[in-house]
Coordinates of all heavy atoms in Angstrom, one line a residue:
M137 N 7.5 8.0 15.7 CA 7.8 8.7 14.4 C 6.6 8.5 13.5 O 6.1 7.5 13.2 CB 9.0 8.0 13.8 CG 9.4 8.6 12.4 SD 10.7 7.6 11.8 CE 11.6 9.0 10.9
K138 N 6.1 9.7 13.1 CA 4.9 9.8 12.3 C 5.3 9.6 10.8 O 6.1 10.2 10.3 CB 4.2 11.1 12.4 CG 2.9 11.2 11.7 CD 2.2 12.5 12.0 CE 0.9 12.6 11.1 NZ 0.2 13.8 11.3
T139 N 4.6 8.7 10.1 CA 4.8 8.4 8.6 C 3.8 9.2 7.9 O 2.5 9.2 8.2 CB 4.8 7.0 8.3 OG1 3.5 6.4 8.6 CG2 5.9 6.2 9.0
T140 N 4.1 9.8 6.8 CA 3.3 10.5 5.9 C 2.8 9.6 4.8 O 3.7 9.0 4.2 CB 3.9 11.8 5.3 OG1 4.4 12.5 6.4 CG2 3.0 12.6 4.5
Q141 N 1.5 9.4 4.6 CA 1.0 8.7 3.5 C 0.4 9.5 2.4 O -0.3 10.5 2.8 CB 0.0 7.6 4.1 CG 0.6 6.6 5.0 CD -0.5 5.7 5.5 OE1 -1.7 5.8 5.2 NE2 -0.1 4.8 6.3
I142 N 0.6 9.3 1.2 CA 0.0 10.0 0.1 C -1.2 9.4 -0.2 O -1.4 8.0 -0.1 CB 0.9 10.2 -1.1 CG1 1.3 8.9 -1.7 CG2 2.1 11.0 -0.7 CD1 2.1 8.9 -3.0
Q143 N -2.3 10.1 -0.5 CA -3.6 9.5 -0.9 C -4.4 10.4 -1.8 O -3.9 11.6 -2.1 CB -4.4 9.3 0.4 CG -4.6 10.5 1.3 CD -5.2 10.1 2.6 OE1 -5.8 9.1 2.7 NE2 -5.0 11.0 3.6
G144 N -5.5 10.0 -2.4 CA -6.3 10.9 -3.1 C -5.7 11.1 -4.6 O -5.1 10.3 -5.2
K145 N -5.7 12.5 -4.9 CA -5.2 12.9 -6.3 C -3.6 12.6 -6.3 O -3.1 12.6 -7.4 CB -5.5 14.3 -6.5 CG -6.9 14.5 -7.1 CD -6.8 14.1 -8.6 CE -8.0 14.8 -9.3 NZ -8.1 14.3 -10.6
L146 N -3.0 12.6 -5.2 CA -1.6 12.5 -5.2 C -1.1 11.0 -5.7 O 0.0 10.8 -6.1 CB -1.0 12.7 -3.8 CG -1.1 14.1 -3.3 CD1 -0.5 14.2 -1.9 CD2 -0.2 15.0 -4.2
L147 N -2.1 10.0 -5.7 CA -1.8 8.7 -6.2 C -2.1 8.6 -7.6 O -1.9 7.6 -8.3 CB -2.6 7.7 -5.4 CG -2.2 7.5 -4.0 CD1 -3.1 6.5 -3.3 CD2 -0.7 7.0 -3.9
D148 N -2.7 9.7 -8.3 CA -3.0 9.7 -9.6 C -1.8 10.0 -10.5 O -1.4 11.3 -10.4 CB -4.2 10.5 -9.9 CG -4.7 10.5 -11.4 OD1 -4.3 9.6 -12.1 OD2 -5.5 11.4 -11.7
L149 N -1.2 9.2 -11.2 CA 0.0 9.4 -12.0 C -0.3 10.5 -13.1 O 0.6 11.3 -13.4 CB 0.5 8.1 -12.6 CG 1.8 8.2 -13.2 CD1 2.9 8.7 -12.3 CD2 2.3 6.8 -13.8
N150 N -1.5 10.4 -13.7 CA -1.8 11.4 -14.7 C -1.9 12.8 -14.2 O -1.6 13.8 -14.9 CB -3.1 10.9 -15.5 CG -2.9 9.7 -16.4 OD1 -1.9 9.5 -16.8 ND2 -3.9 8.9 -16.5
A151 N -2.4 12.9 -13.0 CA -2.5 14.3 -12.4 C -1.0 14.9 -12.2 O -0.8 16.0 -12.5 CB -3.2 14.2 -11.1
H152 N -0.1 14.0 -11.8 CA 1.3 14.4 -11.7 C 1.9 14.8 -13.1 O 2.6 15.8 -13.1 CB 2.2 13.3 -11.1 CG 2.0 13.2 -9.6 ND1 2.9 13.9 -8.7 CD2 1.2 12.4 -8.8 CE1 2.5 13.6 -7.5 NE2 1.5 12.7 -7.5
R153 N 1.6 14.1 -14.0 CA 2.1 14.4 -15.4 C 1.6 15.6 -15.9 O 2.3 16.5 -16.4 CB 1.8 13.2 -16.3 CG 2.5 12.0 -16.1 CD 2.2 10.8 -16.9 NE 3.1 9.7 -16.7 CZ 2.9 8.5 -17.2 NH1 1.8 8.2 -18.0 NH2 3.7 7.5 -16.9
E154 N 0.3 15.9 -15.6 CA -0.3 17.1 -16.1 C 0.3 18.3 -15.4 O 0.6 19.4 -16.0 CB -1.8 17.1 -15.9 CG -2.6 18.3 -16.4 CD -2.6 18.2 -18.0 OE1 -2.5 17.2 -18.6 OE2 -2.6 19.4 -18.5
F155 N 0.6 18.2 -14.1 CA 1.1 19.3 -13.3 C 2.6 19.6 -13.8 O 3.0 20.7 -13.9 CB 1.1 18.9 -11.8 CG 1.8 19.8 -10.9 CD1 1.2 21.1 -10.6 CD2 3.1 19.6 -10.3 CE1 1.9 22.0 -9.8 CE2 3.7 20.5 -9.5 CZ 3.1 21.7 -9.3
A156 N 3.3 18.5 -14.0 CA 4.7 18.7 -14.5 C 4.7 19.4 -15.9 O 5.5 20.2 -16.2 CB 5.4 17.3 -14.6
K157 N 3.8 19.0 -16.8 CA 3.7 19.7 -18.1 C 3.3 21.1 -18.0 O 3.9 21.9 -18.7 CB 2.7 18.9 -19.0 CG 3.1 17.5 -19.5 CD 2.0 16.9 -20.3 CE 2.4 15.5 -20.5 NZ 1.3 14.8 -21.2
V158 N 2.4 21.4 -17.2 CA 2.0 22.8 -17.0 C 3.2 23.6 -16.3 O 3.4 24.8 -16.8 CB 0.7 23.0 -16.1 CG1 0.5 24.4 -15.7 CG2 -0.5 22.4 -16.8
G159 N 3.9 23.1 -15.4 CA 5.0 23.7 -14.7 C 6.1 23.9 -15.7 O 6.8 25.1 -15.8
V160 N 6.4 23.0 -16.6 CA 7.4 23.2 -17.6 C 7.1 24.3 -18.6 O 7.9 25.2 -19.0 CB 7.7 21.9 -18.4 CG1 8.6 22.1 -19.6 CG2 8.4 20.9 -17.5
G161 N 5.8 24.3 -19.0 CA 5.3 25.3 -20.0 C 5.3 26.7 -19.4 O 5.8 27.7 -20.1
V162 N 4.9 26.8 -18.1 CA 4.8 28.2 -17.5 C 6.2 28.7 -17.3 O 6.6 29.8 -17.6 CB 4.0 28.1 -16.2 CG1 4.2 29.4 -15.4 CG2 2.5 27.9 -16.5
S163 N 7.1 27.9 -16.8 CA 8.5 28.4 -16.5 C 9.2 28.6 -17.8 O 10.0 29.6 -17.9 CB 9.3 27.4 -15.6 OG 9.3 26.0 -16.3
L164 N 9.0 27.8 -18.8 CA 9.6 28.2 -20.2 C 9.1 29.4 -20.7 O 9.9 30.3 -21.2 CB 9.4 27.0 -21.1 CG 9.9 27.1 -22.6 CD1 11.5 27.2 -22.5 CD2 9.6 26.0 -23.4
G165 N 7.8 29.7 -20.6 CA 7.3 30.9 -21.1 C 7.7 32.1 -20.3 O 8.1 33.2 -20.9
L166 N 7.9 32.0 -19.0 CA 8.4 33.1 -18.2 C 9.9 33.4 -18.5 O 10.3 34.6 -18.6 CB 8.2 32.7 -16.7 CG 8.5 33.8 -15.7 CD1 7.6 35.0 -16.0 CD2 8.2 33.3 -14.2
A167 N 10.6 32.3 -18.8 CA 12.0 32.4 -19.1 C 12.1 33.2 -20.4 O 13.0 34.0 -20.6 CB 12.8 31.1 -19.1
A168 N 11.3 32.8 -21.3 CA 11.3 33.5 -22.7 C 10.9 35.0 -22.6 O 11.6 35.8 -23.3 CB 10.4 32.8 -23.6
V169 N 9.9 35.3 -21.8 CA 9.5 36.6 -21.7 C 10.4 37.5 -21.0 O 10.7 38.7 -21.3 CB 8.0 36.7 -21.0 CG1 7.6 38.1 -20.6 CG2 7.0 36.2 -21.9
T170 N 11.0 37.1 -19.9 CA 11.9 37.8 -19.1 C 13.3 37.9 -19.9 O 14.1 38.9 -19.6 CB 12.2 37.2 -17.8 OG1 12.7 35.8 -17.9 CG2 11.0 37.2 -17.0
A171 N 13.6 37.1 -20.9 CA 14.8 37.2 -21.6 C 14.8 38.5 -22.5 O 15.9 38.9 -22.9 CB 15.0 36.0 -22.5
L172 N 13.6 39.0 -22.8 CA 13.6 40.2 -23.6 C 14.0 41.5 -22.9 O 14.4 42.4 -23.6 CB 12.1 40.4 -24.1 CG 11.5 39.3 -24.9 CD1 10.1 39.5 -25.1 CD2 12.3 39.1 -26.2
N173 N 14.2 41.5 -21.6 CA 14.5 42.7 -20.9 C 15.5 42.3 -19.7 O 15.1 42.5 -18.5 CB 13.3 43.4 -20.3 CG 13.6 44.8 -19.8 OD1 14.7 45.3 -19.9 ND2 12.6 45.4 -19.2
L174 N 16.6 41.8 -20.0 CA 17.6 41.3 -19.1 C 18.4 42.5 -18.4 O 19.1 42.3 -17.4 CB 18.6 40.3 -19.6 CG 18.0 38.9 -19.8 CD1 19.0 37.9 -20.4 CD2 17.5 38.3 -18.5
K175 N 18.2 43.7 -18.9 CA 18.9 44.8 -18.3 C 18.3 45.2 -17.0 O 19.0 45.8 -16.1 CB 19.0 46.0 -19.3 CG 19.7 45.7 -20.5 CD 19.8 46.9 -21.4 CE 20.6 46.6 -22.6 NZ 20.6 47.7 -23.5
D176 N 17.1 45.0 -16.8 CA 16.3 45.3 -15.5 C 16.7 44.2 -14.5 O 16.8 43.0 -14.8 CB 14.9 45.3 -15.8 CG 14.1 45.8 -14.6 OD1 14.7 46.4 -13.7 OD2 12.8 45.5 -14.5
R177 N 17.0 44.7 -13.2 CA 17.4 43.7 -12.2 C 16.4 42.8 -11.9 O 16.6 41.5 -11.6 CB 17.8 44.5 -11.0 CG 18.2 43.7 -9.8 CD 18.3 44.5 -8.5 NE 19.7 44.6 -8.2 CZ 20.2 45.3 -7.2 NH1 19.4 46.1 -6.5 NH2 21.4 45.3 -6.9
T178 N 15.1 43.2 -11.8 CA 14.0 42.3 -11.4 C 13.8 41.2 -12.5 O 13.6 40.1 -12.2 CB 12.6 43.2 -11.3 OG1 12.9 44.2 -10.4 CG2 11.5 42.3 -10.9
F179 N 13.8 41.6 -13.7 CA 13.6 40.7 -14.9 C 14.8 39.7 -14.9 O 14.6 38.6 -15.2 CB 13.6 41.4 -16.2 CG 12.2 41.8 -16.5 CD1 11.8 43.2 -16.1 CD2 11.3 41.0 -17.2 CE1 10.6 43.6 -16.5 CE2 10.0 41.5 -17.4 CZ 9.6 42.8 -17.2
R180 N 16.0 40.1 -14.5 CA 17.2 39.2 -14.5 C 17.1 38.2 -13.4 O 17.2 37.0 -13.7 CB 18.5 40.0 -14.3 CG 19.7 39.2 -14.6 CD 21.0 40.1 -14.5 NE 20.9 41.5 -14.8 CZ 21.2 42.5 -14.1 NH1 21.8 42.2 -12.9 NH2 21.1 43.7 -14.5
R181 N 16.6 38.6 -12.3 CA 16.4 37.6 -11.2 C 15.2 36.7 -11.5 O 15.3 35.5 -11.2 CB 16.0 38.4 -9.9 CG 17.2 39.1 -9.3 CD 17.0 39.7 -8.0 NE 18.1 40.4 -7.5 CZ 18.1 41.3 -6.5 NH1 16.9 41.6 -5.9 NH2 19.2 41.8 -6.1
L182 N 14.1 37.2 -12.1 CA 13.0 36.4 -12.4 C 13.4 35.4 -13.5 O 12.9 34.2 -13.5 CB 11.9 37.3 -12.9 CG 10.5 36.6 -13.0 CD1 10.0 36.0 -11.7 CD2 9.4 37.6 -13.5
H183 N 14.3 35.8 -14.5 CA 14.7 35.0 -15.5 C 15.6 33.8 -14.9 O 15.4 32.6 -15.4 CB 15.6 35.8 -16.5 CG 16.1 35.0 -17.7 ND1 15.3 34.6 -18.7 CD2 17.3 34.5 -18.0 CE1 16.0 33.9 -19.5 NE2 17.3 33.8 -19.1
T184 N 16.4 34.1 -13.9 CA 17.2 33.1 -13.3 C 16.3 32.1 -12.5 O 16.5 30.9 -12.6 CB 18.2 33.7 -12.3 OG1 19.0 34.6 -13.0 CG2 19.1 32.7 -11.7
L185 N 15.3 32.6 -11.8 CA 14.4 31.7 -11.0 C 13.6 30.8 -11.9 O 13.4 29.7 -11.6 CB 13.6 32.6 -10.1 CG 14.3 33.2 -8.9 CD1 13.2 34.1 -8.2 CD2 14.8 32.1 -8.0
S186 N 13.2 31.4 -13.0 CA 12.3 30.6 -13.9 C 13.2 29.6 -14.6 O 12.6 28.5 -14.9 CB 11.7 31.5 -15.0 OG 12.5 32.2 -15.8
G187 N 14.5 29.8 -14.8 CA 15.3 28.8 -15.4 C 15.6 27.7 -14.4 O 15.6 26.5 -14.9
I188 N 15.8 28.0 -13.2 CA 15.9 27.0 -12.1 C 14.6 26.2 -12.0 O 14.6 24.9 -11.9 CB 16.3 27.6 -10.8 CG1 17.7 28.3 -10.8 CG2 16.2 26.6 -9.6 CD1 18.0 29.1 -9.7
A189 N 13.5 26.8 -12.1 CA 12.2 26.2 -12.0 C 12.0 25.2 -13.3 O 11.5 24.1 -13.1 CB 11.1 27.1 -12.0
L190 N 12.5 25.7 -14.4 CA 12.4 24.8 -15.6 C 13.2 23.6 -15.5 O 12.7 22.5 -15.9 CB 12.9 25.6 -16.8 CG 12.9 25.0 -18.2 CD1 11.5 24.6 -18.6 CD2 13.4 25.9 -19.2
V191 N 14.5 23.7 -14.9 CA 15.3 22.5 -14.7 C 14.5 21.6 -13.7 O 14.5 20.3 -13.9 CB 16.6 22.9 -14.1 CG1 17.4 21.6 -13.7 CG2 17.4 23.6 -15.3
G192 N 14.0 22.1 -12.6 CA 13.3 21.3 -11.6 C 12.1 20.5 -12.2 O 11.9 19.4 -11.9
F193 N 11.3 21.3 -12.9 CA 10.1 20.7 -13.4 C 10.5 19.7 -14.5 O 9.8 18.7 -14.7 CB 9.2 21.7 -14.1 CG 8.3 22.4 -13.1 CD1 8.3 23.7 -12.8 CD2 7.3 21.7 -12.4 CE1 7.5 24.3 -11.9 CE2 6.5 22.2 -11.4 CZ 6.5 23.6 -11.2
G194 N 11.6 19.9 -15.2 CA 12.0 18.9 -16.3 C 12.5 17.6 -15.7 O 12.2 16.6 -16.1
I195 N 13.2 17.7 -14.5 CA 13.6 16.5 -13.8 C 12.3 15.8 -13.2 O 12.3 14.6 -13.3 CB 14.6 16.9 -12.7 CG1 15.9 17.4 -13.2 CG2 14.8 15.7 -11.8 CD1 16.9 17.9 -12.3
Y196 N 11.5 16.6 -12.7 CA 10.2 16.0 -12.1 C 9.5 15.3 -13.3 O 9.0 14.2 -13.1 CB 9.4 17.1 -11.5 CG 8.1 16.7 -11.0 CD1 7.9 15.7 -10.1 CD2 6.9 17.4 -11.4 CE1 6.7 15.4 -9.5 CE2 5.6 17.1 -10.9 CZ 5.5 16.1 -10.0 OH 4.3 15.6 -9.5
H197 N 9.4 15.9 -14.5 CA 8.7 15.4 -15.6 C 9.3 14.0 -16.1 O 8.6 13.1 -16.3 CB 8.5 16.4 -16.7 CG 7.8 16.0 -17.9 ND1 8.4 15.4 -18.9 CD2 6.4 16.1 -18.2 CE1 7.4 15.2 -19.9 NE2 6.3 15.6 -19.5
Y198 N 10.6 14.1 -16.1 CA 11.3 12.9 -16.5 C 11.1 11.7 -15.5 O 11.1 10.6 -16.0 CB 12.8 13.2 -16.6 CG 13.7 12.0 -16.9 CD1 13.8 11.5 -18.3 CD2 14.4 11.3 -16.0 CE1 14.5 10.5 -18.6 CE2 15.2 10.3 -16.3 CZ 15.3 9.8 -17.5 OH 16.1 8.7 -17.9
G199 N 11.0 12.0 -14.3 CA 10.9 11.0 -13.3 C 9.4 10.4 -13.3 O 9.2 9.3 -12.7
L200 N 8.5 11.0 -14.1 CA 7.2 10.4 -14.1 C 7.0 9.4 -15.3 O 5.9 8.9 -15.4 CB 6.2 11.6 -14.3 CG 6.1 12.4 -13.1 CD1 5.2 13.6 -13.4 CD2 5.4 11.7 -11.9
Y201 N 8.0 9.3 -16.1 CA 7.9 8.3 -17.4 C 8.9 7.3 -17.3 O 10.0 7.5 -16.6 CB 8.1 9.2 -18.6 CG 6.9 10.2 -18.9 CD1 6.9 11.4 -18.5 CD2 5.7 9.6 -19.5 CE1 5.7 12.3 -18.6 CE2 4.6 10.5 -19.7 CZ 4.7 11.8 -19.3 OH 3.6 12.6 -19.5
N202 N 8.7 6.2 -18.0 CA 9.7 5.2 -18.3 C 10.2 4.6 -16.9 O 11.4 4.4 -16.7 CB 10.8 5.6 -19.1 CG 10.4 6.0 -20.5 OD1 9.4 5.5 -20.9 ND2 11.0 7.0 -21.0
N203 N 9.3 4.3 -16.0 CA 9.6 3.7 -14.7 C 10.6 4.6 -13.9 O 11.6 4.2 -13.3 CB 10.2 2.3 -14.8 CG 10.1 1.5 -13.6 OD1 9.4 1.9 -12.7 ND2 10.8 0.4 -13.4
G204 N 10.4 5.9 -13.9 CA 11.3 6.8 -13.3 C 11.2 6.8 -11.8 O 10.2 6.1 -11.2
F205 N 11.9 7.5 -11.1 CA 12.0 7.4 -9.6 C 10.6 7.9 -9.0 O 10.2 7.3 -7.9 CB 13.1 8.3 -9.0 CG 13.1 9.7 -9.4 CD1 12.7 10.6 -8.4 CD2 13.7 10.1 -10.6 CE1 12.7 12.0 -8.8 CE2 13.7 11.4 -10.8 CZ 13.2 12.4 -10.0
I206 N 10.0 8.9 -9.6 CA 8.7 9.4 -9.0 C 7.6 8.4 -9.3 O 6.7 8.1 -8.5 CB 8.4 10.8 -9.5 CG1 9.5 11.8 -9.0 CG2 7.0 11.3 -9.0 CD1 9.4 13.2 -9.6
Q207 N 7.7 7.9 -10.5 CA 6.6 6.9 -10.8 C 6.7 5.7 -10.0 O 5.7 5.2 -9.6 CB 6.8 6.5 -12.3 CG 5.6 5.6 -12.8 CD 5.9 5.3 -14.3 OE1 6.9 5.5 -14.9 NE2 4.8 4.6 -15.0
R208 N 7.9 5.2 -9.7 CA 7.9 4.0 -8.8 C 7.5 4.4 -7.4 O 6.8 3.5 -6.8 CB 9.5 3.7 -8.7 CG 10.0 2.9 -9.9 CD 11.3 2.2 -9.8 NE 12.3 3.1 -9.2 CZ 13.3 3.7 -10.0 NH1 13.3 3.5 -11.2 NH2 14.1 4.5 -9.3
Y209 N 7.7 5.6 -6.9 CA 7.3 6.0 -5.6 C 5.8 6.0 -5.6 O 5.3 5.5 -4.5 CB 7.9 7.4 -5.2 CG 7.4 7.9 -4.0 CD1 7.9 7.3 -2.7 CD2 6.4 8.9 -3.8 CE1 7.4 7.8 -1.5 CE2 6.0 9.4 -2.6 CZ 6.6 8.9 -1.4 OH 6.1 9.3 -0.2
I210 N 5.1 6.5 -6.6 CA 3.6 6.6 -6.6 C 3.1 5.2 -6.7 O 2.1 4.9 -6.0 CB 3.2 7.5 -7.7 CG1 3.6 8.9 -7.5 CG2 1.7 7.4 -8.0 CD1 3.4 9.9 -8.7
N211 N 3.7 4.3 -7.5 CA 3.1 3.0 -7.7 C 3.3 2.3 -6.4 O 2.4 1.5 -6.0 CB 3.8 2.3 -8.8 CG 3.3 2.8 -10.1 OD1 2.3 3.4 -10.3 ND2 4.2 2.6 -11.2
N212 N 4.4 2.4 -5.7 CA 4.6 1.7 -4.4 C 3.6 2.2 -3.4 O 3.1 1.4 -2.6 CB 6.0 1.9 -3.9 CG 7.1 1.1 -4.7 OD1 6.7 0.2 -5.5 ND2 8.3 1.5 -4.7
A213 N 3.3 3.5 -3.3 CA 2.4 4.1 -2.4 C 0.9 3.5 -2.7 O 0.2 3.2 -1.8 CB 2.3 5.5 -2.4
R214 N 0.7 3.4 -4.0 CA -0.6 2.8 -4.4 C -0.8 1.4 -4.0 O -1.9 1.0 -3.6 CB -0.8 3.0 -6.0 CG -2.2 2.9 -6.4 CD -2.3 3.0 -8.0 NE -1.8 4.3 -8.3 CZ -1.3 4.5 -9.5 NH1 -1.2 3.6 -10.4 NH2 -1.0 5.7 -10.0
K215 N 0.3 0.6 -4.2 CA 0.3 -0.8 -3.8 C 0.1 -0.9 -2.3 O -0.7 -1.8 -1.8 CB 1.5 -1.5 -4.2 CG 1.6 -1.8 -5.8 CD 2.9 -2.5 -6.1 CE 3.1 -2.5 -7.6 NZ 4.4 -3.1 -7.9
A216 N 0.8 -0.1 -1.5 CA 0.7 -0.1 0.0 C -0.7 0.1 0.4 O -1.2 -0.4 1.4 CB 1.8 0.8 0.6
K217 N -1.3 1.2 -0.2 CA -2.7 1.5 0.1 C -3.6 0.4 -0.1 O -4.5 0.1 0.6 CB -3.1 2.8 -0.6 CG -4.4 3.3 -0.2 CD -4.9 4.6 -0.8 CE -6.2 4.9 -0.3 NZ -6.7 6.2 -0.9
R218 N -3.5 -0.3 -1.3 CA -4.3 -1.4 -1.7 C -4.2 -2.6 -0.6 O -5.1 -3.1 -0.2 CB -4.0 -2.0 -3.0 CG -5.0 -1.5 -4.0 CD -4.8 -2.2 -5.4 NE -3.9 -1.3 -6.1 CZ -2.8 -1.7 -6.8 NH1 -2.6 -2.9 -7.0 NH2 -2.0 -0.8 -7.5
L219 N -2.9 -2.8 -0.3 CA -2.6 -4.0 0.7 C -3.2 -3.6 2.1 O -3.7 -4.3 2.8 CB -1.1 -4.2 0.8 CG -0.4 -4.8 -0.3 CD1 1.0 -4.9 -0.2 CD2 -1.0 -6.2 -0.5
K220 N -3.1 -2.3 2.5 CA -3.7 -1.9 3.8 C -5.2 -2.0 3.8 O -5.7 -2.5 4.8 CB -3.3 -0.4 4.0 CG -3.7 0.1 5.4 CD -3.3 1.5 5.5 CE -3.6 2.0 6.9 NZ -3.3 3.4 7.2
V221 N -5.9 -1.7 2.6 CA -7.3 -1.9 2.6 C -7.6 -3.3 2.6 O -8.6 -3.7 3.3 CB -7.7 -1.1 1.3 CG1 -9.2 -1.5 1.1 CG2 -7.7 0.3 1.4
Q222 N -7.0 -4.1 1.9 CA -7.2 -5.6 2.0 C -7.0 -6.2 3.3 O -7.8 -6.9 3.7 CB -6.4 -6.3 0.9 CG -6.7 -6.1 -0.5 CD -5.7 -6.7 -1.4 OE1 -4.7 -7.2 -1.0 NE2 -6.0 -6.6 -2.7
K223 N -6.0 -5.8 4.1 CA -5.8 -6.3 5.4 C -6.9 -5.9 6.4 O -7.3 -6.6 7.2 CB -4.4 -5.8 5.9 CG -3.3 -6.5 5.3 CD -1.9 -6.0 5.8 CE -0.8 -6.7 5.2 NZ 0.5 -6.3 5.7
T224 N -7.4 -4.7 6.3 CA -8.4 -4.2 7.1 C -9.7 -5.0 6.8 O -10.6 -5.2 7.7 CB -8.7 -2.7 7.1 OG1 -8.9 -2.3 5.7 CG2 -7.5 -1.9 7.6
D225 N -9.9 -5.3 5.5 CA -11.2 -6.0 5.1 C -11.1 -7.5 5.7 O -12.2 -8.1 5.9 CB -11.3 -6.1 3.6 CG -11.7 -4.7 3.0 OD1 -12.1 -3.9 3.8 OD2 -11.5 -4.5 1.8
E226 N -9.9 -8.1 5.8 CA -9.8 -9.4 6.2 C -10.1 -9.6 7.8 O -10.5 -10.6 8.2 CB -8.4 -10.0 5.9 CG -8.2 -10.2 4.4 CD -6.6 -10.5 4.2 OE1 -5.9 -10.6 5.1 OE2 -6.3 -10.7 3.1
K227 N -10.0 -8.5 8.5 CA -10.2 -8.5 9.9 C -11.7 -8.7 10.3 O -12.0 -9.2 11.3 CB -9.7 -7.2 10.6 CG -8.2 -7.2 10.6 CD -7.7 -5.9 11.3 CE -6.2 -5.8 11.3 NZ -5.7 -4.5 11.9
F228 N -12.6 -8.3 9.3 CA -14.0 -8.3 9.7 C -14.6 -9.6 9.2 O -14.7 -10.4 8.7 CB -14.7 -7.1 8.9 CG -14.4 -5.9 9.4 CD1 -13.5 -5.0 8.7 CD2 -14.7 -5.4 10.8 CE1 -13.2 -3.7 9.2 CE2 -14.4 -4.3 11.2 CZ -13.6 -3.3 10.5

């Protein structure tokens, strides 16, 4: 069974926070713009999808603060990477 390890920018909590903020802003803006023309079928579908994306990004954003579930996952991965590096250094 292959395990996936996160590394690089994915371990940077501030990069995750910035991505979540941008996602919330874009989906909120899209929801506001598409609300102006809900009679059109395409705009109605896009409005629904942007609302769903807004909820998803909101949950993601919440998980990045106050010891949320995503923040704990990133911190645990960061600790595991540090321990792995220390163990490989001890072998030499």
Side-chain angles (χ1 to χ4, degrees):
M137 178 183 215
K138 184 178 178 183
T139 59
T140 305
Q141 295 179 356
I142 61 174
Q143 55 188 338
K145 277 286 197 184
L146 291 176
L147 289 176
D148 186 15
L149 190 59
N150 289 327
H152 279 274
R153 289 177 175 169
E154 188 67 29
F155 177 72
K157 288 177 189 176
V158 169
V160 167
V162 169
S163 59
L164 180 62
L166 190 59
V169 169
T170 56
L172 300 174
N173 192 8
L174 285 177
K175 292 181 181 178
D176 186 16
R177 175 189 250 176
T178 305
F179 276 89
R180 194 176 326 128
R181 288 182 180 169
L182 194 57
H183 182 76
T184 304
L185 289 175
S186 63
I188 293 168
L190 180 62
V191 170
F193 278 118
I195 292 170
Y196 178 55
H197 184 266
Y198 176 77
L200 291 170
Y201 291 93
N202 298 328
N203 202 16
F205 60 97
I206 298 172
Q207 184 179 11
R208 286 193 307 261
Y209 179 74
I210 293 170
N211 288 338
N212 289 340
R214 194 180 302 150
K215 286 178 189 175
K217 184 176 181 180
R218 257 187 272 138
L219 290 175
K220 185 178 180 182
V221 169
Q222 288 175 355
K223 286 181 182 178
T224 56
D225 288 344
E226 291 173 359
K227 289 180 182 178
F228 294 109

